[in-house]
Amino acid sequence: MADWFRKAGEIWGKADRALGGWLPGGGYGSPLTQYVKGKHKFVPGQRTLEGDVAGALNTAATFAANTRPAVKKALESSPEFVKSTVSSGLNQLPASMNLFGRYYTGIGNEGLAFSKQYKDKLFGMVQEADKAQPGQLSSMKEEEAKMTQFANQSADPSIYKPTNDMLAEVRSNIRRMEGGDIRFKTRAGREDDTDSLGGYGTSLGSAWFTKTPDGSYTADEKYDFMYAGADEKNPVPYGPFGKGAQMPTPSEGFAHMAAMTLLGRQPPFVTGKGGGSAEANFGRAVVAKMESDPFNYTLKLNRPQ
């Protein structure tokens, strides 16, 4: 397989030179050329297939992350009709790709729109959450009482602090629900949400909606990633993940998971779909190498006609 990658890289490089260097990743000194010529730094021992694939994905993620500042700067300095064209093009993509593309390019919420199909289906799910909220609120209050009792009995700081952190979050959720906000829990990991590019788990995640008098629902959301810039914030080993493989950065850990999923070698608890897909993990690898650059947006759901 390593020979196949090497031959493929040589063919791609020749084609790139023949076309004047316009093929992505094919030029001399490009990520692909560097990959097929040598071993990656985070595989200090025996070279493995998953390590090879992870290395290629990590190289591509590094290239994407390093290119991002130039992409953002170019778009910021572009005329409005160019920004409008980019925004309209992104709106034609599945929801997850639309939002991620706006995060990556820095265009943010400018001209953001979601498809009618996306919003109509989400309306039904939020409506279900609205109807189920009284029971959810009751269960959450029971949970708060149990956690309070446990926190009061624990004197161990290693248990007391995380328990109180969780308790504070539960109490915050209770206050919001009592105030009329509707809690929409993420669909990530559910069997009915396996689309990594357009699913609700990889696009919206968890959200809070408010209900308006006309029966519509509105959410004011912030599109961000908790692992943005993780390589700089937490440059700690994520491995070893396999024989001879040591992943020294979070992004390379995500790249490795993407590789394992592509090869069908992901852990049993990972479905390989939706948020556990190779595409999602590759996106995480890119984001972990980038600085955090969130944007806010409003999502309004009208009753389907």
Side-chain angles (χ1 to χ4, degrees), residues 251-263:
S251 63
E252 287 173 337
F254 290 132
H256 185 269
M257 183 57 71
M260 295 291 280
T261 304
L262 281 173
L263 296 171

Side-chain angles (χ1 to χ4, degrees), residues 57 61 96-97 100 188 194-198 201-203 223 225 227 251 254-255 257-259 261-262 270-288:
L57 292 174
S96 300
M97 294 181 66
F100 184 81
T194 58
D195 184 358
S196 60
L197 303 181
T202 54
S203 57
Y223 188 77
F225 300 91
Y227 43 83
S251 63
F254 290 132
M257 183 57 71
T261 304
L262 281 173
V270 178
T271 64
K273 301 177 181 179
S277 67
E279 300 94 325
N281 277 306
F282 177 75
R284 293 184 182 105
V286 175
V287 171

Side-chain angles (χ1 to χ4, degrees), residues 81-147:
F81 80 89
V82 173
K83 296 178 183 178
S84 178
T85 300
V86 171
S87 178
S88 297
L90 290 171
N91 287 336
Q92 304 307 309
L93 300 175
S96 300
M97 294 181 66
N98 184 6
L99 289 169
F100 184 81
R102 293 170 176 280
Y103 184 92
Y104 180 80
T105 62
I107 198 171
N109 61 13
E110 186 172 335
L112 171 63
F114 295 92
S115 70
K116 185 177 185 302
Q117 179 181 9
Y118 180 90
K119 292 191 291 185
D120 285 354
K121 184 177 180 180
L122 181 56
F123 180 94
M125 292 189 287
V126 175
Q127 190 175 50
E128 289 179 9
D130 187 8
K131 294 177 180 178
Q133 182 134 304
Q136 294 289 332
L137 180 57
S138 177
S139 298
M140 196 167 289
K141 288 183 176 180
E142 293 178 5
E143 180 184 357
E144 178 200 17
K146 293 177 181 178
M147 291 180 67

